[in-house]
Amino acid sequence: MSTNYRIPVPAVGFRPPVYICRYNDKPFQLNGNLDKDFWKDIPFTDDFPDIEGAIRPVPRFRTRAKMAWDKENLYIGAVLEGDEIWAHQTEHDCVIFNENDFEIFIDPDSDTQAYVEYEMNALNTTWDLLLTKAYRDNGKPVNGLEIKGMRTAVYIDGELNNPEARSRSWSVEVVLPFDALKELAAENRPPVSGEYYRVNFSRVQWKVDTVDGAFQKRLSEETGRPLPEDNWVWAPTGVINIHYPELWAFVFFAGRGEEEKVYSIPEDEYRKWELRKLYYAQQACLDERGHYAGSMEELKEILARISPCEENRTVKELGYRLETTAHSFEISCPAADGNGVLAVFSDGKTAAFPL
């Protein structure tokens, strides 16, 4: 089985985390430290695993995050444990992940396109950008994006750039105005109770040695170049690529007093995942044969052959419709309520249409 596909099938099934984002209008003081009354009753996410999921070892340092919201802002806090706390980059919009960092990804309308990426290091140096669509779909980053009104802070429990210090962790706080996201959201507005955003967090952690009293990236004995970085994320994508928005977590916005309400992933999102598996098969067909498949039978055969995950080798029978041209495709199925149509397109976008 070839593994050299442009867009590999993930080695994980569709089990994204679900987080209940609590409404919180307590006074908020931005300083990067989560040990404050504002965060007291806000739960952490689960510990971040490796981006590839359970097939990789448990990360050597613990990472967790919290979220809350009010009418104006989404609040994000994260604690990155470990004693290897270092950073040197100070230029805004530089490539932050060349050092250890914390990253935020937000797709407000769950269409897997037009999403925000935000990165920061332990010096509170930041990089914000917009992805019109994922890189795999020939998306181009809009580096000129400036998220208006965003505020950030870092707190270090220890010392920066000092391997001899008794450092324990660094933590971040991010205040993200909904006004900066509403153009990407459904109906171009802030969320209301019961709605959800698709979100992921990532921690890039480089392996280091101590050389002459300073942290230095560990070098490969074979190449003399730094070893690959570790990628620890909230929602694993099953491939070393965070830009698989279809597998990001679901963050539900709970209204005041609705913290205990049960929220579950909508059935249409499960149907979108079935469509997504067929999208992977179509892209593999293009790689293998130079054209998109013209039949569901062909797609199902390819999917069963190329998926590294047993869960992803078949699709549910949902009454699919396949339309293929020389350069594009559209695959659709009925919405769960029977009153609409769901579709995935060759450029990666998913959409819902009323009948």
Side-chain angles (χ1 to χ4, degrees):
M1 179 178 69
S2 172
T3 58
N4 297 319
Y5 296 107
R6 290 173 297 110
I7 304 173
V9 183
V12 295
F14 187 70
R15 293 192 181 87
V18 173
Y19 184 88
I20 311 305
C21 187
R22 301 185 180 188
Y23 192 88
N24 188 0
D25 56 5
K26 293 180 181 178
F28 180 78
Q29 180 183 5
L30 179 69
N31 58 14
N33 190 346
L34 275 62
D35 186 14
K36 64 183 66 168
D37 187 58
F38 180 87
W39 294 113
K40 181 180 178 182
D41 298 319
I42 306 298
F44 274 109
T45 63
D46 290 337
D47 295 356
F48 291 13
D50 187 271
I51 193 170
E52 293 187 85
I55 65 172
R56 296 301 180 196
V58 174
R60 62 188 182 277
F61 297 133
R62 187 186 200 188
T63 314
R64 299 179 295 167
K66 295 185 174 193
M67 283 162 282
W69 71 298
D70 60 24
K71 292 180 180 180
E72 287 80 33
N73 301 307
L74 174 63
Y75 300 87
I76 298 170
V79 178
L80 296 79
E81 297 182 11
D83 57 358
E84 298 169 0
I85 305 174
W86 58 275
H88 302 287
Q89 298 186 104
T90 58
E91 182 181 353
H92 176 60
D93 281 352
C94 66
V95 182
I96 303 293
F97 63 76
N98 283 331
E99 300 182 343
N100 294 346
D101 77 356
F102 180 73
E103 304 177 359
I104 299 168
F105 302 83
I106 301 177
D107 178 9
D109 63 359
S110 193
D111 70 347
T112 70
Q113 292 192 345
Y115 57 87
V116 167
E117 176 178 351
Y118 191 81
E119 303 184 9
M120 56 193 301
N121 67 9
L123 279 170
N124 199 24
T125 304
T126 60
W127 181 21
D128 47 359
L129 60 158
L130 170 73
L131 273 296
T132 56
K133 51 188 174 180
Y135 293 110
R136 66 187 182 191
D137 298 307
N138 298 315
K140 303 297 182 182
V142 181
N143 285 306
L145 172 76
E146 293 298 325
I147 302 178
K148 186 177 180 180
M150 176 175 267
R151 297 181 291 138
T152 65
V154 170
Y155 172 79
I156 297 175
D157 185 0
E159 292 183 41
L160 184 69
N161 297 327
N162 183 0
E164 304 302 321
R166 297 174 60 87
S167 299
R168 298 179 179 84
S169 66
W170 62 289
S171 56
V172 305
E173 289 182 314
V174 176
V175 182
L176 178 55
F178 287 121
D179 276 349
L181 295 174
K182 65 182 182 181
E183 291 185 6
L184 309 178
E187 301 181 19
N188 302 119
R189 58 167 173 74
V192 298
S193 177
E195 294 181 337
Y196 58 88
Y197 282 1
R198 303 297 297 277
V199 176
N200 212 349
F201 302 127
S202 174
R203 175 181 182 175
V204 168
Q205 188 77 20
W206 294 86
K207 299 178 180 68
V208 295
D209 294 310
T210 300
V211 178
D212 297 329
F215 291 115
Q216 177 178 288
K217 290 181 182 178
R218 185 170 299 165
L219 305 179
S220 165
E221 294 181 359
E222 289 76 22
T223 68
R225 303 182 65 179
L227 294 174
E229 73 277 15
D230 289 315
N231 294 271
W232 305 328
V233 305
W234 180 27
T237 58
V239 60
I240 306 176
N241 185 347
I242 193 69
H243 295 276
Y244 272 55
E246 61 269 24
L247 287 165
W248 294 352
F250 286 78
V251 174
F252 284 89
F253 295 96
R256 190 192 307 273
E258 296 182 342
E259 296 86 356
E260 304 305 320
K261 185 176 178 179
V262 177
Y263 293 87
S264 58
I265 298 172
E267 177 59 29
D268 277 354
E269 294 289 353
Y270 288 98
R271 293 190 173 213
K272 285 182 184 178
W273 177 245
E274 299 302 310
L275 293 170
R276 181 63 62 177
K277 289 187 284 187
L278 295 169
Y279 154 93
Y280 299 140
Q282 276 287 34
Q283 301 295 353
C285 183
L286 180 63
D287 291 348
E288 289 182 354
R289 304 171 188 179
H291 61 80
Y292 290 123
S295 71
M296 288 299 301
E297 290 70 24
E298 190 176 6
L299 282 181
K300 291 176 182 178
E301 178 275 321
I302 293 171
L303 184 65
R305 175 166 49 81
I306 69 171
S307 174
C309 174
E310 184 174 356
E311 275 185 63
N312 296 336
R313 290 176 188 154
T314 60
V315 291
K316 295 180 180 178
E317 295 300 329
L318 296 174
Y320 302 103
R321 180 178 178 180
L322 170 63
E323 299 179 47
T324 304
T325 72
H327 304 290
S328 65
F329 67 82
E330 176 183 336
I331 310 172
S332 59
C333 71
D337 63 6
N339 294 321
V341 174
L342 307 174
V344 65
F345 299 90
S346 48
D347 68 352
K349 182 180 178 66
T350 59
F353 303 100
L355 289 177

PDB file of all heavy atoms in Angstrom, residues 148-162:
ATOM      1  N   LYS A 148      -7.879  42.061  15.415  1.00  0.00           N
ATOM      2  CA  LYS A 148      -8.124  43.324  16.112  1.00  0.00           C
ATOM      3  C   LYS A 148      -8.652  43.079  17.522  1.00  0.00           C
ATOM      4  O   LYS A 148      -9.610  42.340  17.727  1.00  0.00           O
ATOM      5  CB  LYS A 148      -9.131  44.161  15.329  1.00  0.00           C
ATOM      6  CG  LYS A 148      -9.350  45.554  15.889  1.00  0.00           C
ATOM      7  CD  LYS A 148     -10.294  46.341  15.017  1.00  0.00           C
ATOM      8  CE  LYS A 148     -10.531  47.744  15.571  1.00  0.00           C
ATOM      9  NZ  LYS A 148     -11.459  48.530  14.725  1.00  0.00           N
ATOM     10  N   GLY A 149      -8.003  43.685  18.487  1.00  0.00           N
ATOM     11  CA  GLY A 149      -8.453  43.611  19.875  1.00  0.00           C
ATOM     12  C   GLY A 149      -7.959  42.420  20.655  1.00  0.00           C
ATOM     13  O   GLY A 149      -8.225  42.315  21.859  1.00  0.00           O
ATOM     14  N   MET A 150      -7.231  41.514  20.028  1.00  0.00           N
ATOM     15  CA  MET A 150      -6.723  40.347  20.755  1.00  0.00           C
ATOM     16  C   MET A 150      -5.659  40.783  21.754  1.00  0.00           C
ATOM     17  O   MET A 150      -4.796  41.614  21.463  1.00  0.00           O
ATOM     18  CB  MET A 150      -6.147  39.321  19.788  1.00  0.00           C
ATOM     19  CG  MET A 150      -5.516  38.108  20.484  1.00  0.00           C
ATOM     20  SD  MET A 150      -4.977  36.838  19.309  1.00  0.00           S
ATOM     21  CE  MET A 150      -6.437  35.814  19.289  1.00  0.00           C
ATOM     22  N   ARG A 151      -5.748  40.196  22.951  1.00  0.00           N
ATOM     23  CA  ARG A 151      -4.769  40.481  24.008  1.00  0.00           C
ATOM     24  C   ARG A 151      -4.208  39.173  24.540  1.00  0.00           C
ATOM     25  O   ARG A 151      -4.936  38.189  24.674  1.00  0.00           O
ATOM     26  CB  ARG A 151      -5.417  41.269  25.149  1.00  0.00           C
ATOM     27  CG  ARG A 151      -5.942  42.642  24.728  1.00  0.00           C
ATOM     28  CD  ARG A 151      -6.547  43.380  25.911  1.00  0.00           C
ATOM     29  NE  ARG A 151      -7.779  42.754  26.372  1.00  0.00           N
ATOM     30  CZ  ARG A 151      -8.111  42.568  27.651  1.00  0.00           C
ATOM     31  NH1 ARG A 151      -7.262  42.931  28.619  1.00  0.00           N
ATOM     32  NH2 ARG A 151      -9.265  42.029  27.972  1.00  0.00           N
ATOM     33  N   THR A 152      -2.916  39.164  24.859  1.00  0.00           N
ATOM     34  CA  THR A 152      -2.262  37.942  25.329  1.00  0.00           C
ATOM     35  C   THR A 152      -1.280  38.263  26.455  1.00  0.00           C
ATOM     36  O   THR A 152      -0.784  39.389  26.572  1.00  0.00           O
ATOM     37  CB  THR A 152      -1.488  37.257  24.193  1.00  0.00           C
ATOM     38  OG1 THR A 152      -0.415  38.113  23.770  1.00  0.00           O
ATOM     39  CG2 THR A 152      -2.389  36.959  23.010  1.00  0.00           C
ATOM     40  N   ALA A 153      -1.000  37.235  27.251  1.00  0.00           N
ATOM     41  CA  ALA A 153       0.003  37.370  28.315  1.00  0.00           C
ATOM     42  C   ALA A 153       0.589  35.999  28.603  1.00  0.00           C
ATOM     43  O   ALA A 153      -0.049  34.960  28.386  1.00  0.00           O
ATOM     44  CB  ALA A 153      -0.610  37.965  29.578  1.00  0.00           C
ATOM     45  N   VAL A 154       1.810  36.006  29.123  1.00  0.00           N
ATOM     46  CA  VAL A 154       2.528  34.782  29.494  1.00  0.00           C
ATOM     47  C   VAL A 154       2.994  34.901  30.932  1.00  0.00           C
ATOM     48  O   VAL A 154       3.446  35.972  31.373  1.00  0.00           O
ATOM     49  CB  VAL A 154       3.744  34.552  28.570  1.00  0.00           C
ATOM     50  CG1 VAL A 154       4.625  33.429  29.100  1.00  0.00           C
ATOM     51  CG2 VAL A 154       3.295  34.248  27.152  1.00  0.00           C
ATOM     52  N   TYR A 155       2.870  33.806  31.669  1.00  0.00           N
ATOM     53  CA  TYR A 155       3.392  33.733  33.037  1.00  0.00           C
ATOM     54  C   TYR A 155       4.351  32.550  33.107  1.00  0.00           C
ATOM     55  O   TYR A 155       4.030  31.454  32.617  1.00  0.00           O
ATOM     56  CB  TYR A 155       2.250  33.533  34.023  1.00  0.00           C
ATOM     57  CG  TYR A 155       2.700  33.266  35.443  1.00  0.00           C
ATOM     58  CD1 TYR A 155       3.116  34.304  36.270  1.00  0.00           C
ATOM     59  CD2 TYR A 155       2.721  31.966  35.950  1.00  0.00           C
ATOM     60  CE1 TYR A 155       3.538  34.058  37.574  1.00  0.00           C
ATOM     61  CE2 TYR A 155       3.136  31.715  37.246  1.00  0.00           C
ATOM     62  CZ  TYR A 155       3.547  32.760  38.059  1.00  0.00           C
ATOM     63  OH  TYR A 155       3.965  32.514  39.340  1.00  0.00           O
ATOM     64  N   ILE A 156       5.525  32.754  33.680  1.00  0.00           N
ATOM     65  CA  ILE A 156       6.527  31.697  33.790  1.00  0.00           C
ATOM     66  C   ILE A 156       6.736  31.333  35.251  1.00  0.00           C
ATOM     67  O   ILE A 156       7.102  32.190  36.067  1.00  0.00           O
ATOM     68  CB  ILE A 156       7.865  32.136  33.157  1.00  0.00           C
ATOM     69  CG1 ILE A 156       7.665  32.390  31.662  1.00  0.00           C
ATOM     70  CG2 ILE A 156       8.943  31.077  33.378  1.00  0.00           C
ATOM     71  CD1 ILE A 156       8.890  32.955  30.967  1.00  0.00           C
ATOM     72  N   ASP A 157       6.458  30.081  35.560  1.00  0.00           N
ATOM     73  CA  ASP A 157       6.738  29.556  36.892  1.00  0.00           C
ATOM     74  C   ASP A 157       8.163  29.011  36.874  1.00  0.00           C
ATOM     75  O   ASP A 157       8.404  27.815  36.704  1.00  0.00           O
ATOM     76  CB  ASP A 157       5.739  28.458  37.255  1.00  0.00           C
ATOM     77  CG  ASP A 157       5.906  27.955  38.692  1.00  0.00           C
ATOM     78  OD1 ASP A 157       6.811  28.464  39.398  1.00  0.00           O
ATOM     79  OD2 ASP A 157       5.146  27.053  39.092  1.00  0.00           O
ATOM     80  N   GLY A 158       9.117  29.906  37.002  1.00  0.00           N
ATOM     81  CA  GLY A 158      10.528  29.551  36.903  1.00  0.00           C
ATOM     82  C   GLY A 158      11.278  30.678  36.240  1.00  0.00           C
ATOM     83  O   GLY A 158      10.964  31.853  36.446  1.00  0.00           O
ATOM     84  N   GLU A 159      12.247  30.323  35.392  1.00  0.00           N
ATOM     85  CA  GLU A 159      13.052  31.324  34.702  1.00  0.00           C
ATOM     86  C   GLU A 159      13.173  30.967  33.231  1.00  0.00           C
ATOM     87  O   GLU A 159      13.338  29.804  32.868  1.00  0.00           O
ATOM     88  CB  GLU A 159      14.459  31.411  35.307  1.00  0.00           C
ATOM     89  CG  GLU A 159      14.512  31.974  36.715  1.00  0.00           C
ATOM     90  CD  GLU A 159      15.948  32.097  37.206  1.00  0.00           C
ATOM     91  OE1 GLU A 159      16.814  32.508  36.397  1.00  0.00           O
ATOM     92  OE2 GLU A 159      16.199  31.756  38.367  1.00  0.00           O
ATOM     93  N   LEU A 160      13.097  31.979  32.402  1.00  0.00           N
ATOM     94  CA  LEU A 160      13.250  31.795  30.965  1.00  0.00           C
ATOM     95  C   LEU A 160      14.722  31.645  30.606  1.00  0.00           C
ATOM     96  O   LEU A 160      15.584  32.351  31.139  1.00  0.00           O
ATOM     97  CB  LEU A 160      12.650  33.008  30.241  1.00  0.00           C
ATOM     98  CG  LEU A 160      12.618  32.966  28.715  1.00  0.00           C
ATOM     99  CD1 LEU A 160      11.633  31.912  28.220  1.00  0.00           C
ATOM    100  CD2 LEU A 160      12.250  34.348  28.168  1.00  0.00           C
ATOM    101  N   ASN A 161      15.000  30.695  29.716  1.00  0.00           N
ATOM    102  CA  ASN A 161      16.346  30.515  29.143  1.00  0.00           C
ATOM    103  C   ASN A 161      17.406  30.197  30.191  1.00  0.00           C
ATOM    104  O   ASN A 161      18.577  30.560  30.032  1.00  0.00           O
ATOM    105  CB  ASN A 161      16.763  31.764  28.347  1.00  0.00           C
ATOM    106  CG  ASN A 161      15.865  32.034  27.163  1.00  0.00           C
ATOM    107  OD1 ASN A 161      15.347  31.108  26.546  1.00  0.00           O
ATOM    108  ND2 ASN A 161      15.660  33.314  26.848  1.00  0.00           N
ATOM    109  N   ASN A 162      17.027  29.511  31.241  1.00  0.00           N
ATOM    110  CA  ASN A 162      17.980  29.141  32.287  1.00  0.00           C
ATOM    111  C   ASN A 162      17.820  27.657  32.633  1.00  0.00           C
ATOM    112  O   ASN A 162      16.950  27.292  33.427  1.00  0.00           O
ATOM    113  CB  ASN A 162      17.766  29.994  33.530  1.00  0.00           C
ATOM    114  CG  ASN A 162      18.796  29.692  34.618  1.00  0.00           C
ATOM    115  OD1 ASN A 162      19.674  28.842  34.447  1.00  0.00           O
ATOM    116  ND2 ASN A 162      18.684  30.391  35.747  1.00  0.00           N
TER     117      ASN A 162
END
